[in-house]
Amino acid sequence: MFPNRRFRLTAVFMAVLVALPACARTDSAPGSGGNADQAPGHRSADGWKDWAPSQWLRNAGDFINPVVKGLWNADRMSHSRNPDTPVSNALGDAGVSDPEPAPSKAQPEPAPYHTVAAVVGKVFFDTPEGSSVCSGTAVRDPAHPGQSNLVWTAGHCVHAGARGGWYRNIVFVPSYNNEGLSGRARQYASLDRIAPFGTWWADWAQTSSEWISEGAATGGAGAPFDFAVLHVRPPAGFASLEEAIGQAAPVRFGVPTPTAVSAASAWGYPAARPFDGEHMFSCLNRPGRLSIRADQPTMYRIGCTMTGGSSGGGWFARDAHGSLALISNTSIGSVSATWLAGPRLGSVAKGVYGAVSAKFAHARGTK
């Protein structure tokens, strides 16, 4: 049976921390291009006007993401599109996949969002088509207990897959639009109200080699390996992401098959109609199986009406002892917006997570 109330992430993770002491496009998009007057590590927002597919950095070690001061203002964030292309409802091998789940209506989270899900936020980035948005989750860093700067999201939110490369200007905004503002109040809100815990630029991103070689915008190719981990740099005045928001989510790998999970809760900021990308939602449901290819891991699938923009958002479940942890992220959804699917986090996902943690394990402090 499902819990008789929805998961409240902040209360659960804060308890653990105490115990352990732990979309529409914009008119312009930034690109490369330096400026001698800028501080090291920064660049101007010149756009992708000189971009060509042959110049798209795509290999695992190619990622670069210099800070562009003032780029992600409140207006630019609100006009970022969702990059997702829904897949066919009939996707999957019926001999392995469970029947398509009944839709479960996404539930709006009460504001302020930081009090119910401080680890959840939005991921913004630029593509050749314009500025885009996904969802993400602040997660713990084994190398820096209590001082994590790691964010979990979907691979397609940082890398275009088989026919592209790394996106640019990737940032994480925890508790985006924390007050749940709408209408004129949201339209005229200042950045410090929309991003009260800062804008965190990624200085590293890593996804699976399977997503890089197979990932596609349509058809679900690469979806069983559609996950990514960001390392973000603290804005001025902040020590680490985990300290800034007060918590970070544990990640659980090797969770038994989807049918062994009694309930999973998916969180995010859906941006495609009828949603506007400005508000946090969640779905709680029992996951079933979705098999895209017989030679690849079976995915989790739940009935949920969240749409594009919720991609990358964390899925949470409790273990036999009642501990809550991230077990997946939203990867694909049906064209009818009736279900979502996410990858099962196995050895490949654990390797990506461990590699990002290890890369910054000996960094001074957490910066």
Side-chain angles (χ1 to χ4, degrees):
M1 294 179 62
F2 290 166
N4 57 15
R5 61 182 178 86
R6 290 151 60 194
F7 295 172
R8 192 169 187 264
L9 302 185
T10 295
V12 174
F13 297 145
M14 282 300 289
V16 174
L17 286 168
V18 170
L20 298 180
C23 136
R25 293 195 328 225
T26 57
D27 293 332
S28 61
S32 60
N35 185 319
D37 296 329
Q38 292 177 314
H42 294 71
R43 64 180 176 185
S44 61
D46 293 331
W48 288 66
K49 62 182 179 180
D50 298 323
W51 175 89
S54 62
Q55 299 170 342
W56 202 340
L57 299 176
R58 63 169 282 105
N59 294 328
D62 285 345
F63 180 79
I64 56 172
N65 196 51
V67 173
V68 181
K69 286 185 175 180
L71 174 65
W72 290 109
N73 56 38
D75 182 66
R76 196 169 195 269
M77 289 179 181
S78 70
H79 287 90
S80 296
R81 69 182 184 93
N82 82 82
D84 304 326
T85 302
V87 300
S88 167
N89 282 45
L91 181 72
D93 179 357
V96 176
S97 301
D98 291 319
E100 181 180 335
S104 178
K105 186 176 181 180
Q107 299 298 311
E109 291 302 322
Y113 299 143
H114 185 263
T115 64
V116 294
V119 296
V120 178
K122 292 186 73 168
V123 175
F124 295 92
F125 54 99
D126 280 312
T127 77
E129 289 76 38
S131 56
S132 297
V133 64
C134 279
S135 299
T137 306
V139 294
R140 294 179 186 173
D141 181 356
H144 295 286
Q147 296 179 309
S148 177
N149 282 315
L150 301 187
V151 175
W152 195 282
T153 189
H156 76 262
C157 300
V158 300
H159 193 286
R163 296 190 177 184
W166 295 104
Y167 295 131
R168 301 177 179 179
N169 304 318
I170 302 172
V171 300
F172 176 64
V173 180
S175 298
Y176 173 81
N177 191 21
N178 187 49
E179 301 169 51
L181 301 177
S182 298
R184 291 178 62 85
R186 168 61 187 89
Q187 182 180 357
Y188 295 106
S190 59
L191 182 60
D192 61 349
R193 295 185 69 185
I194 299 305
F197 298 93
T199 300
W200 300 70
W201 282 78
D203 52 11
W204 189 251
Q206 195 155 333
T207 185
S208 66
S209 59
E210 290 85 352
W211 175 258
I212 291 176
S213 63
E214 302 175 14
T218 60
F225 300 96
D226 185 16
F227 41 74
V229 178
L230 306 176
H231 183 277
V232 296
R233 66 179 72 188
F238 291 95
S240 71
L241 177 61
E242 185 171 0
E243 291 169 295
I245 65 176
Q247 59 185 258
V251 183
R252 187 175 301 133
F253 300 96
V255 173
T257 57
T259 52
V261 179
S262 62
S265 182
W267 296 67
Y269 285 83
R273 294 180 179 177
F275 304 96
D276 62 3
E278 297 298 307
H279 302 91
M280 187 187 295
F281 285 80
S282 68
C283 287
L284 176 65
N285 219 323
R286 177 186 288 274
R289 299 170 296 176
L290 177 64
S291 177
I292 295 177
R293 278 176 41 181
D295 63 337
Q296 292 187 345
T298 301
M299 300 179 70
Y300 299 96
R301 181 166 62 171
I302 62 170
C304 182
T305 60
M306 283 200 290
T307 60
S310 60
S311 279
W315 290 32
F316 298 87
R318 298 186 187 277
D319 63 15
H321 305 289
S323 298
L324 194 66
L326 184 146
I327 64 163
S328 185
N329 59 264
T330 297
S331 171
I332 55 177
S334 66
V335 68
S336 61
T338 55
W339 56 259
L340 299 176
R344 180 172 177 262
L345 305 183
S347 59
V348 175
K350 188 174 183 179
V352 170
Y353 176 69
V356 179
S357 175
K359 182 177 178 65
F360 295 89
H362 302 294
R364 293 187 61 184
T366 56
K367 301 181 181 181

